[in-house]
Amino acid sequence: MYENPNLDYLEQLAAGDLTVRKTIYALMVNEFDSDFEAYKKAKLQNDAQACIALVHRLKHKIGFLGMEYSYQIANRYEVELRRNSDRFAAEFDAVLDQIHEFIQKTPQL
């Protein structure tokens, strides 16, 4: 299933306040970028514990962007990592790439 990231939840939180919207979006983007880079590094280093922690953090950004199906993929991937399996890794990585692309294309609110 393919779904697009969206800012509907952000709009709900901001309730029309441009300053709140900008602040929350900037925070989410900064955290996503940092966690995404750390995840890629941990994955390259085969650091399972770091990957588990970062997948957990990243799945909340996925949910924030209204990607319910992708959130479930992240959740399943986190469970699999705890079982020493990389099942769902490709799907999860594709979601992260999609979000990264979305952020790059979305102007700073």
Side-chain angles (χ1 to χ4, degrees):
M1 172 179 240
Y2 183 82
E3 59 188 342
N4 291 315
N6 65 72
L7 300 175
D8 295 348
Y9 181 63
L10 174 60
E11 295 300 332
Q12 229 179 350
L13 287 174
D17 187 321
L18 183 59
T19 303
V20 169
R21 187 172 70 182
K22 284 182 177 185
T23 302
I24 293 172
Y25 183 73
L27 179 63
M28 191 281 302
V29 168
N30 288 335
E31 285 186 7
F32 176 83
D33 288 343
S34 175
D35 291 347
F36 183 41
E37 290 304 315
Y39 166 74
K40 291 189 294 188
K41 182 179 177 183
K43 193 171 175 188
L44 282 174
Q45 295 174 341
N46 293 316
D47 185 341
Q49 291 305 310
C51 282
I52 291 167
L54 290 160
V55 168
H56 183 79
R57 287 178 54 94
L58 285 160
K59 79 178 175 183
H60 295 292
K61 278 92 174 157
I62 293 167
F64 180 88
L65 292 169
M67 302 174 74
E68 294 176 24
Y69 180 76
S70 297
Y71 179 91
Q72 293 304 318
I73 289 172
N75 201 46
R76 289 181 189 128
Y77 181 43
E78 182 181 358
V79 168
E80 290 298 321
L81 284 170
R82 292 180 191 283
R83 295 178 180 161
N84 295 317
S85 168
D86 67 352
R87 186 171 174 220
F88 300 112
E91 294 91 338
F92 180 76
D93 291 353
V95 169
L96 295 183
D97 290 339
Q98 182 185 10
I99 291 171
H100 180 72
E101 190 174 310
F102 172 79
I103 288 170
Q104 296 303 312
K105 291 180 179 178
T106 303
Q108 289 297 322
L109 307 172

